[in-house]
DNA sequence: CTACAATACATACACCGTGTATGTATAGGC
DNA sequence: GCCTATACATACACGGTGTATGTATTGTAG
């Protein structure tokens, strides 16, 4: 296998990935051509297709990157367990999801580009997993746990977009606290 | 103006619209070409472009149709006011949104195709408006009302997809009731 | 150290889908 | 009964994805 070149290669792939994340985040998936991505990364489309199977493949990698950034922010802000950790985690999710590099990719384009099921599976490996695990540690294996997690997850996603489009973050956090209260004391 | 032909023309436009709704709903916006739509409607792409400005324009019309179906179902199922009406309205939203002719168009593709802001504006003329008005009639002009409506709306959308992909509708409705309880008695 | 094979890209090309320009027939007002 | 506008069909231009091919360089085996 290659050695010195391998690092070079990985760096190229990384550059393409970051460039794509920026462009997808700003203009949306369909409005961005791979020519733009390649040019922005200082390569040609050939390199892009070499590292990523297709435009969708590139997007999947970008999504994974964005979701990793978000879930990292969550675990850092709310490492513990219990209801307070969940609430803090949700708030961290909001703050992280507002980031322009994440928002549109993760919350708007991903479901449409990859399909809702694939998107959800991908989410289940990141922030949605944290939410479900947090809930399980608090309310146990209640039968409606998955449904509750789904509703909460949807509420969080919409809240993030709502904030990003001009909504007040403090107001959203208060609304979130209020909703969580009903789950804390059934 | 034309008379007999005008009706003919409107029927053609309607046929194209319905065909597009079926195809978009089943295969998704980007996977459907206007050639398919035209063929399914028994016309050529020329007719499609005559009645609708562009593929996006056609999609906007389809979305409006789908949202009208949903909001009609809501107002029929929950015509009154008060918390019970809101809860019934939400449940009606779930049942209506699960419909295969609505689901993907309204909940998955619309934000990506039209952009989140446009999508939200469109939603604000249909089910989201009903939700906001219902909330206003119950909790008054509380400052967090918009945030609460956003969270609830997101929760409902996600719940609909969750159900459509195999989740239990009764479970989702219980989770919804639980969340609404926190808002009923602050 | 040399020949070979695989990797990392660039270049060139085919295909499909959107959008637009143009053509044509019919309908309804004057 | 002419004339214009409407309702569509046909034809074409363009952009973007994907794929096939070319090429240089690197790591490796003999």
């Amino acid at each position: 296998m290659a050695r010195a070149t391998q690092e070079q290669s990985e760096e190229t792939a990384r550059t393409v990935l970051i460039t794509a994340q920026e462009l997808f985040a700003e203009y949306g998936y369909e409005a961005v051509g791979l020519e733009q991505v390649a040019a922005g990364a200082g390569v040609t489309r050939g390199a892009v297709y070499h590292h990523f199977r297709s435009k969708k493949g590139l997007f999947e990698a970008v999504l994974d990157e964005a979701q990793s950034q978000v879930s990292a922010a969550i675990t850092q802000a709310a490492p513990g367990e219990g209801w307070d950790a969940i609430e803090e985690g949700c708030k961290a999710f909001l703050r992280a999801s507002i980031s322009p590099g994440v928002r549109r990719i993760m919350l708007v384009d991903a479901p449409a580009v990859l399909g809702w099921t694939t998107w959800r599976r991908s989410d289940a490996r990141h922030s949605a997993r944290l939410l479900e695990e947090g809930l399980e540690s608090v309310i146990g294996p209640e039968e409606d746990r998955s449904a509750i997690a789904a509703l909460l997850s949807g509420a969080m996603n919409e809240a993030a977009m709502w904030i990003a489009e001009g909504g007040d973050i403090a107001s959203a956090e208060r609304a979130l606290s209020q909703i969580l209260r009903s789950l804390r004391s059934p």
Side-chain angles (χ1 to χ4, degrees), chain A residues 37-81:
Chain A
V37 176
V43 293
T44 65
R45 279 173 49 241
V48 177
Y49 276 98
H50 177 74
H51 290 287
F52 307 91
R53 256 176 261 273
S54 62
K55 193 184 178 186
K56 247 186 217 169
L58 173 60
F59 183 80
E60 272 182 273
V62 168
L63 173 64
D64 195 77
E65 173 71 20
Q67 285 177 323
S68 295
Q69 292 169 6
V70 171
S71 56
I74 294 175
T75 49
Q76 194 192 349
E81 288 197 343

Side-chain angles (χ1 to χ4, degrees), chain A residues 14-44:
Chain A
R14 182 92 194 146
T15 304
V16 170
L17 188 77
I18 300 303
T19 306
Q21 181 176 6
E22 290 168 0
L23 289 171
F24 285 158
E26 184 163 5
Y27 304 106
Y29 176 79
E30 66 123 52
V32 173
L34 291 185
E35 185 67 43
Q36 280 179 67
V37 176
V43 293
T44 65

Side-chain angles (χ1 to χ4, degrees), chain A residues 91-178:
Chain A
K91 290 179 179 174
F93 174 88
L94 287 183
R95 288 191 297 272
S97 301
I98 294 168
S99 155
V102 167
R103 207 169 65 209
R104 179 159 190 177
I105 292 168
M106 201 178 79
L107 301 178
V108 178
D109 284 339
V113 173
L114 304 178
W116 190 85
T117 309
T118 304
W119 170 63
R120 202 107 211 356
R121 256 203 303 274
S122 180
D123 199 34
R125 289 196 303 271
H126 297 94
S127 41
R129 181 177 53 82
L130 298 174
L131 180 58
E132 273 245 31
E133 286 176 2
L135 278 178
E136 189 170 10
S137 76
V138 174
I139 64 178
E142 196 207 321
E143 61 172 335
D144 295 334
R145 199 189 60 235
S146 288
I148 292 173
L151 288 235
L152 272 183
S153 177
M156 306 299 307
N157 290 346
E158 184 73 8
M161 288 304 301
W162 182 79
I163 295 167
E165 296 290 329
D168 179 32
I169 187 167
S171 182
E173 289 186 352
R174 282 193 300 271
L176 169 66
S177 298
Q178 199 171 346

